[in-house]
Amino acid sequence: MWRCLIIEDDAVNAKYVADGLRELGHSAIVCADPVAGLQAATDQDWDVVILDRMLPNGVDGLSILATMRGIGRKTPVIVLSALTALDERVRGLKAGGDDYLAKPFAFSELAARIEALVRRARTDATPAQLAIADLRIDLVNRRVERGGRQVQLQPREFRLLAYMMSHPRQVLTRTMLLEAVWDYRFDPQTNVIDVHISRLRQKIDAGADRPLIHTVRGVGYVLAEDPEAYLGRQAPRR
Amino acid sequence: MSEASVASRSLLAELRTLFRSVGFRLALNYGLLSIMTMAVLIALFYIQTIGVIKQGNARLVMNSVHRLENLFDREGREGVAGIIEQMLADGAESDNELYLLLDETGAIVTGNLDAVPDLPSNRERVVERTVSRAGNGVDAAMIARRLPDGATLVVGREMSDQRSMERLVERALAAAAGVTLLFIFGGTAWFRAHLESRVEAIRRTTLGVGAGDLTIRVPATSQEDEFARLDADINQMLDRIEGLMDGVRHVSNAIAHEMRTPMTRILAGLRTADRSDSTLEQLRDANRAAIREIEALTQVFGKLLQIAETEAGTRRQEFEPVAADAIMRDVVELFASVAEEQGVTLVDETEAGIMVLGDRDLLAGVAANLVENALRYAGSGARVRVGAARDGDDAVLSVVDNGPGVPPAALEQLGTRFFRLNRSLPGTGLGLASARAVVKLHGGTIGFADARPGLAARIRLPAFDA
């Protein structure tokens, strides 16, 4: 269970996010006032802060983030922005270990991004080797093995698998994959990511007794041995 | 309040209205300027004409007095008296000539003046006096001289010719001033009426447009003056406004239409499930279907908002130099496997070093959109060529397919919100609209042309040179 702080003055949107997080089994506190929000964000420990960009009295959510970082708070923050993805300052968040999402967003996208943020904050430096079930990836020598058998991957497929392996058992949305693997952030209108996944899947899961790459309908993909256990938890249909 | 004060007040109000008229003020100012010019001209003419006559008279008087003084030197007082009498009797010019000879005591010796005028003697200058001759006052230019034997000689010349000339000039000037004033007032009135009639046409049009009729225009005139140009500008502006209004109306109609279909589907699904004998599973399915539909709707609205925000375009200052050719190549690479699955050949024809000032993600989104469209509509076996090239000061990004293309009539409509060529295929009809907004934000244009066969989409952006 994560402790989530939502700093957002729009009651409807705050409730939408809070209810969704509670449904996933987390605790969520809503702060509508920027001052109280800043106080809560700096005084208490949170697993993640969900911060709206436009707060009452002309306060920019980014100033709260700056204050938090200024006093050494490393809590992961996801910024909700009603502005389009054109703002360089918002985009710069990714460099600081944070993330942003433009309104309106699907809750599943927010949930997936929060999960990635929280987990990244909890893991230490990326190890040279990753493994899940009988799938192994060597990030240094760029080798992939499934059940002891070596798998040949194209460079882009390798990056895709490496990203999924470093976020195991997490739902990864198509935009997250496009962003992490191709370094572009836009919404593809077609199934372009699905085709890449299906090619990777053919190489990884072909001939294996059980698949590791699973589709989460309407949301994205997850890499896991036993997806059923948390697919119900991770991807509520909202 | 008395009637008189009411009348004077309404007159005042009318005058004030008149003075507020630009046409009246302009014409009046112009008229005043003309009057002043006229006045200066008239004054100069008057002074010159009268001056010449005056000088002539003075010269005659001086000549006459010098002659008489010479005569005195030769023939003495009697000789002078005799010649004066002779001159006054000869009838030639005797009406105009005035002479008077006085002895030492001031008694009149001879002459045609009734009394001795008050004149300074022995001056070299002629002065003007009104003197009495045969009981009549006459205006005259006069001079008085003391002769060596103590007698006083007064010589003068009646100024009747000067006076009549003065009167003539004055009358002519008065007539000219009257005619000028008449012309000025008439001209002012005509000018004002003309101006108002031209302005009136514009006012009628703007009032009509203000009242909501966007179809009316300022009527065309045969003239080619400032007003005709203004008319043309106003009409052009109205054309543009009408076009924009049509666009807005079309968009809101389209939004209403696009909303109604999924709304109807959602309602139908929920109503069907909302029966007493529905199973939990049926209810849940209906709920899920409704959520899916609403999520899709939310996406459409998000996209619309994004287009609107992009069109508002205030964030251009955050743009950086980006390699447009690299973006196009990345998009080709991203879509290569999709193209392969659909049996479409995706060809990379980008040239290196095509830089533009822009936003990498937005431009990639546009390129992806064009490639997605080409893959979707060109069909299996087609070739889609993706290019980035330099054309003069422009960077040209292109996606050209050799599929069935788009009917010429529809080429213009590509990029209009909710315009979809084939409604049976999935899509929101917002992709190209969004692309167009992004390209516009980058200061460029997006154009669609017949590639014979196929569709050629070309984006022109100002190239960036470091």
Side-chain angles (χ1 to χ4, degrees):
Chain A
M1 187 191 84
W2 309 327
R3 286 169 45 78
C4 311
L5 174 66
I6 302 160
I7 305 175
E8 157 77 283
D9 64 312
D10 176 357
V12 176
N13 198 41
K15 185 169 160 26
Y16 171 69
V17 174
D19 286 353
L21 289 169
R22 286 182 194 126
E23 225 171 279
L24 291 175
H26 307 304
S27 82
I29 306 291
V30 176
C31 258
D33 175 58
V35 178
L38 177 62
Q39 196 148 24
T42 49
D43 287 357
Q44 301 167 46
D45 280 323
W46 304 95
D47 290 299
V48 68
V49 175
I50 296 132
L51 182 61
D52 187 42
R53 182 82 195 277
M54 288 197 278
L55 293 169
N57 308 325
V59 175
D60 186 343
L62 290 184
S63 62
I64 293 184
L65 176 59
T67 313
M68 286 172 66
R69 295 294 179 254
I71 60 167
R73 284 267 161 194
K74 296 212 165 51
T75 318
V77 173
I78 184 158
V79 175
L80 303 182
S81 171
L83 315 164
T84 43
L86 277 165
D87 195 333
E88 281 301 325
R89 287 195 299 157
V90 174
R91 198 169 293 166
L93 293 175
K94 295 224 44 141
D98 299 299
D99 202 357
Y100 70 98
L101 200 55
K103 287 180 183 175
F105 50 85
F107 179 78
S108 50
E109 180 80 33
L110 177 66
R113 285 179 184 271
I114 290 176
E115 169 126 26
L117 263 185
V118 174
R119 298 233 186 171
R120 188 168 55 192
R122 287 181 178 177
T123 30
D124 298 329
T126 321
Q129 292 202 346
L130 295 167
I132 184 164
D134 56 351
L135 176 64
R136 299 179 165 280
I137 185 166
D138 184 334
L139 295 174
V140 179
N141 298 313
R142 304 184 78 82
R143 282 163 61 92
V144 179
E145 274 181 24
R146 179 78 205 262
R149 177 181 55 87
Q150 193 173 332
V151 182
Q152 293 298 329
L153 293 183
Q154 303 285 330
R156 199 64 83 171
E157 291 168 342
F158 183 85
R159 276 185 72 175
L160 184 56
L161 182 64
Y163 177 70
M164 294 184 85
M165 294 276 294
S166 51
H167 297 83
R169 294 173 287 276
Q170 287 176 44
V171 179
L172 303 171
T173 65
R174 291 171 180 84
T175 43
M176 285 167 82
L177 292 171
L178 180 63
E179 207 172 318
V181 180
W182 283 270
D183 198 22
Y184 282 105
R185 185 151 176 164
F186 60 87
D187 284 330
Q189 302 298 303
T190 50
N191 60 344
V192 58
I193 301 298
D194 307 280
V195 172
H196 285 279
I197 290 282
S198 103
R199 296 205 158 189
L200 180 64
R201 192 182 254 160
Q202 273 168 26
K203 292 187 177 174
I204 298 298
D205 287 342
D209 47 350
R210 71 173 183 205
L212 290 175
I213 300 175
H214 308 277
T215 306
V216 185
R217 269 196 63 203
V219 185
Y221 297 94
V222 64
L223 185 76
E225 315 92 310
D226 180 16
E228 294 307 318
Y230 49 53
L231 269 196
R233 183 176 73 76
Q234 282 296 336
R237 293 242 33 126
R238 284 188 61 90
Chain B
M1 205 182 288
S2 76
E3 243 168 66
S5 83
V6 170
S8 75
R9 219 164 252 237
S10 76
L11 188 69
L12 259 178
E14 212 153 287
L15 272 178
R16 220 173 283 139
T17 320
L18 198 61
F19 265 95
R20 254 185 245 131
S21 151
V22 174
F24 180 81
R25 281 206 310 266
L26 275 178
L28 193 70
N29 289 347
Y30 191 70
L32 286 177
L33 203 67
S34 315
I35 288 180
M36 265 162 62
T37 315
M38 274 295 283
V40 169
L41 274 176
I42 284 171
L44 278 175
F45 178 71
Y46 182 88
I47 290 167
Q48 291 284 325
T49 315
I50 302 304
V52 166
I53 294 173
K54 214 183 225 174
Q55 275 175 12
N57 277 342
R59 212 171 32 246
L60 284 177
V61 170
M62 287 305 286
N63 285 348
S64 186
V65 91
H66 284 306
R67 234 182 15 248
L68 286 173
E69 276 174 333
N70 287 340
L71 192 73
F72 176 85
D73 290 346
R74 276 183 276 118
E75 298 181 16
R77 188 187 295 190
E78 286 72 29
V80 172
I83 218 72
I84 289 176
E85 272 160 28
Q86 196 186 322
M87 282 196 292
L88 289 177
D90 70 357
E93 288 273 335
S94 52
D95 279 354
N96 284 339
E97 291 166 344
L98 301 171
Y99 296 102
L100 198 60
L101 186 63
L102 306 171
D103 63 13
E104 303 83 342
T105 61
I108 296 173
V109 177
T110 183
N112 59 350
L113 290 179
D114 298 346
V116 182
D118 168 28
L119 281 173
S121 53
N122 281 348
R123 287 272 187 84
E124 280 298 317
R125 262 191 68 215
V126 173
V127 293
E128 284 177 20
R129 286 285 182 280
T130 304
V131 293
S132 173
R133 182 185 64 182
N136 295 321
V138 285
D139 285 340
M142 322 255 336
I143 193 164
R145 309 287 272 199
R146 191 164 293 265
L147 298 178
D149 70 344
T152 302
L153 174 65
V154 176
V155 176
R157 195 172 168 82
E158 205 186 314
M159 297 194 300
S160 62
D161 53 345
Q162 182 186 336
R163 288 282 176 263
S164 69
M165 183 52 96
E166 271 174 18
R167 272 196 298 280
L168 193 71
V169 170
E170 275 162 12
R171 265 204 303 277
L173 293 185
V179 169
T180 309
L181 275 177
L182 212 66
F183 269 129
I184 286 169
F185 277 115
T188 305
W190 178 83
F191 184 78
R192 180 166 172 250
H194 180 69
L195 204 64
E196 275 200 343
S197 82
R198 298 300 299 272
V199 171
E200 191 56 30
I202 297 172
R203 278 195 63 213
R204 262 201 308 278
T205 308
T206 50
L207 280 177
V209 171
D213 184 2
L214 275 174
T215 58
I216 54 171
R217 295 290 179 269
V218 184
T221 57
S222 53
Q223 279 125 313
E224 282 184 30
D225 54 10
E226 294 88 338
F227 279 100
R229 284 204 296 276
L230 182 64
D231 291 352
D233 289 348
I234 288 175
N235 284 345
Q236 208 174 357
M237 179 183 79
L238 289 175
D239 286 346
R240 176 100 179 101
I241 291 176
E242 196 184 7
L244 287 172
M245 285 300 291
D246 279 350
V248 170
R249 202 170 301 140
H250 168 79
V251 168
S252 44
N253 285 349
I255 291 174
H257 179 80
E258 294 290 318
M259 262 189 81
R260 196 173 53 189
T261 319
M263 285 293 185
T264 316
R265 269 204 305 268
I266 295 167
L267 272 179
L270 290 176
R271 284 225 175 89
T272 314
D274 184 22
R275 289 196 318 244
S276 52
D277 59 339
S278 294
T279 64
L280 187 61
E281 196 53 37
Q282 279 171 328
L283 281 171
R284 201 167 271 164
D285 280 348
N287 190 32
R288 280 199 198 112
I291 287 172
R292 248 199 323 279
E293 293 271 13
I294 292 170
E295 268 178 357
L297 262 181
T298 312
Q299 237 180 5
V300 168
F301 278 111
K303 198 100 199 164
L304 272 175
L305 277 176
Q306 215 173 11
I307 293 173
E309 215 170 303
T310 313
E311 277 178 345
T314 49
R315 285 165 203 279
R316 212 180 290 182
Q317 66 272 23
E318 317 238 359
F319 283 175
E320 302 178 334
V322 291
D325 55 316
I327 292 176
M328 298 308 273
R329 273 194 296 281
D330 286 346
V331 169
V332 168
E333 193 249 33
L334 177 64
F335 283 91
S337 38
V338 181
E340 199 178 300
E341 292 215 336
Q342 296 183 355
V344 176
T345 319
L346 200 53
V347 191
D348 171 12
E349 290 184 350
T350 57
E351 291 167 18
I354 309 296
M355 300 293 287
V356 297
L357 209 56
D359 183 284
R360 193 170 164 274
D361 289 340
L362 288 177
L363 289 175
V366 171
N369 193 287
L370 295 179
V371 171
E372 280 169 341
N373 276 345
L375 293 179
R376 191 180 294 167
Y377 299 113
S380 182
R383 255 170 83 87
V384 176
R385 296 179 291 132
V386 176
R390 182 74 188 254
D391 179 17
D393 287 337
D394 289 343
V396 180
L397 312 181
S398 57
V399 176
V400 183
D401 67 61
N402 62 351
V406 169
L411 281 176
E412 283 279 302
Q413 282 180 276
L414 288 180
T416 315
R417 288 184 189 82
F418 295 118
F419 175 77
R420 282 159 68 192
L421 208 51
N422 186 345
R423 295 209 156 250
S424 63
L425 290 172
T428 57
L430 291 176
L432 286 182
S434 159
R436 172 163 279 179
V438 168
V439 171
K440 206 173 151 205
L441 180 72
H442 283 76
T445 54
I446 185 166
F448 302 96
D450 191 349
R452 300 166 200 277
L455 178 68
R458 281 196 185 83
I459 298 169
R460 250 174 205 281
L461 297 171
F464 175 81
D465 295 305

